[in-house]
Amino acid sequence: MPVPRVRRWKPLALTAAAVLAGITVPATATATPSPTPAPAPAAVGAYDDTYYKDALGKTGPELKSALHTIVSKQTKLSYDQVWNALKTTDEDPANSSNVILLYSGTSRSKSSSGGDQGDWNREHVWAKSHGDFGTATGPGTDVHHLRPEDVTVNSIRGNKDFDNGGGAVQGAPGNLTDGDSFEPRDAVKGDVARMILYMAVRYDGEGGFPDLEPNDRVDNGSAPAIGRLSVLKQWSDDDPPDAFEKNRNQVIFDKFQHNRNPFIDHPEWVEEVW
């Protein structure tokens, strides 16, 4: 099993030196411009002064608690509303009539949503049986972890935990599965990890829903747990947020739930919380 790498964020230092040799500088000469300031550290995001202001400077349980309070302020969708939301959040950037399927990575017509072979349906990345929350408004309808996927591939994933290894998944090149786990293709490993960790922060036992937590095992069954945490952390580290994932987070914030996945904005917080 890969060993999670700890990412440490270090400030940048700037030094400047001037060497003058045999040149007389008039007293009225304009001073040499200061070096260009270093860019802000990667940990600083566009929403830090507003959305995340109560989380900054915290670590561990305090950070997790602050993030829970922040992301819990959201507009909740019905399960029917999820269909239309996914047609916007997961729209193919190259073809506005299609959506991109999470595991398969293919582009499919928005009109092909449904439950028949060849259709795409609503994949619960945190399998709804892990905590038995079903499709009731709440974790069962949270678009941050609901993604379009081919009906057959969705069925193959089922409610398996996430881990490395297994055999090839028919119809979804690059994905692997065995009897108790599923490994998504490399391009979305980090996406999957950050969706799982968002769910663990957002749903902590309030509102009649279970307290969702990642752990480091597979075959969790109906327990409100999913794994493996060590693998998910490694996936998040190896596959940082890309343009599609960032845009999806923004669309959910702007148009639907009005909350954000903090681990897309601040992937370093994965290590700070877990």
Side-chain angles (χ1 to χ4, degrees):
M1 182 180 299
V3 177
R5 292 180 289 154
V6 176
R7 178 177 291 169
R8 296 179 174 87
W9 299 89
K10 300 180 180 179
L12 298 176
L14 290 174
T15 60
V19 178
L20 300 176
I23 300 176
T24 301
V25 181
T28 58
T30 302
T32 302
S34 299
T36 303
V44 176
Y47 289 90
D48 283 1
D49 292 336
T50 53
Y51 191 72
Y52 292 122
K53 62 184 177 61
D54 293 333
L56 299 183
K58 295 180 171 65
T59 60
E62 287 189 352
L63 175 58
K64 185 181 180 187
S65 177
L67 292 176
H68 168 74
T69 300
I70 291 167
V71 303
S72 294
K73 297 179 178 69
Q74 71 177 96
T75 298
K76 297 176 182 178
L77 306 181
S78 70
Y79 200 43
D80 283 341
Q81 289 174 319
V82 168
W83 284 119
N84 286 331
L86 294 182
K87 292 174 184 179
T88 302
T89 60
D90 291 75
E91 182 177 288
D92 182 350
N95 184 347
S96 62
S97 297
N98 288 11
V99 292
I100 298 293
L101 307 186
L102 175 63
Y103 304 129
S104 310
T106 56
S107 180
R108 190 163 300 176
S109 172
K110 291 178 179 179
S111 64
S112 296
S113 59
D116 297 329
Q117 186 172 3
D119 288 342
W120 62 267
N121 59 4
R122 297 158 291 185
E123 153 72 340
H124 288 79
V125 177
W126 185 295
K128 57 185 181 289
S129 64
H130 288 237
D132 196 27
F133 51 75
T135 59
T137 299
T141 65
D142 195 313
V143 186
H144 276 297
H145 87 116
L146 282 158
R147 300 292 293 267
E149 187 47 65
D150 176 81
V151 167
T152 301
V153 176
N154 194 351
S155 178
I156 292 171
R157 188 266 157 143
N159 67 348
K160 295 174 183 176
D161 294 81
F162 293 103
D163 198 3
N164 292 314
V169 175
Q170 185 176 0
N175 297 263
L176 302 173
T177 192
D178 56 24
D180 55 20
S181 70
F182 191 90
E183 178 183 347
R185 59 193 176 98
D186 290 346
V188 296
K189 279 184 166 69
D191 307 51
V192 165
R194 287 180 284 274
M195 286 186 278
I196 291 295
L197 299 178
Y198 160 85
M199 292 292 284
V201 164
R202 170 61 185 88
Y203 299 99
D204 69 348
E206 295 177 350
F209 294 112
D211 182 4
L212 306 182
E213 286 294 338
N215 61 18
D216 213 34
R217 19 171 327 201
V218 294
D219 204 15
N220 277 290
S222 62
I226 204 164
R228 297 183 182 263
L229 176 58
S230 58
V231 173
L232 293 169
K233 289 172 63 178
Q234 186 68 56
W235 289 353
S236 182
D237 200 41
D238 290 344
D239 174 37
D242 60 16
F244 188 90
E245 187 181 4
K246 291 177 181 178
N247 179 70
R248 187 175 196 278
N249 195 31
Q250 192 66 43
V251 170
I252 293 171
F253 181 71
D254 290 339
K255 296 185 177 182
F256 297 103
Q257 296 185 175
H258 310 297
N259 71 339
R260 305 183 68 81
N261 182 334
F263 303 111
I264 296 174
D265 294 323
H266 281 276
E268 76 279 7
W269 279 346
V270 171
E271 193 64 40
E272 294 290 346
V273 173
W274 285 281

